[in-house]
Amino acid sequence: MTERTRLDFGGLWDGLSYIILGLLAMAVFIFYGGSVNTGGVIASIAFVGIGVAAVLAPKISPLFTGLNRYWIGLFWALCGVVILGLGLLSSTRWASGVILGVLFAVYGVLTTFNR
């Protein structure tokens, strides 16, 4: 068996998993609770956008298929910081945005350190 030595960004199944997860999260943020969690909906739209980018990026440029773990980790950490900020600024129920942002940032750091 061969072992994967580098992380690949993109592909049909990666993109579809991001899109499906983003749509499910959006449904939870819209239908759960008394009011719509705007920060969560914006984060879900961003997550669906990441899925669309993951599907289309390898078709646009082959440079996106060979990104190293540092760039991918930095991307996820920045997504976590943005989601954290949106959760704090746009919602009265800020705990969900903080938790989601911190989880994305931790995932980015762990990706950078190859864990």
Side-chain angles (χ1 to χ4, degrees):
M1 288 205 191
T2 61
E3 185 177 330
R4 288 175 69 173
T5 57
R6 65 182 172 120
L7 295 172
D8 292 333
F9 177 75
L12 179 64
W13 296 113
D14 288 341
L16 287 178
S17 64
Y18 290 136
I19 292 170
I20 290 170
L21 187 63
L23 291 175
L24 288 174
M26 188 182 309
V28 168
F29 287 128
I30 290 174
F31 297 115
Y32 179 74
S35 64
V36 174
N37 186 349
T38 308
V41 171
I42 292 171
S44 300
I45 290 170
F47 207 69
V48 170
I50 291 169
V52 170
V55 170
L56 296 179
K59 295 177 186 351
I60 294 171
S61 174
L63 294 175
F64 290 116
T65 59
L67 293 176
N68 62 16
R69 62 187 165 104
Y70 300 110
W71 287 109
I72 294 173
L74 177 68
F75 171 76
W76 285 113
L78 288 176
C79 284
V81 170
V82 169
I83 291 170
L84 178 80
L86 286 174
L88 286 174
L89 294 176
S90 67
S91 177
T92 57
R93 297 180 306 195
W94 54 270
S96 60
V98 170
I99 292 170
L100 191 63
V102 167
L103 288 175
F104 275 114
V106 167
Y107 176 74
V109 170
L110 291 176
T111 301
T112 302
F113 291 123
N114 205 15
R115 299 284 174 186

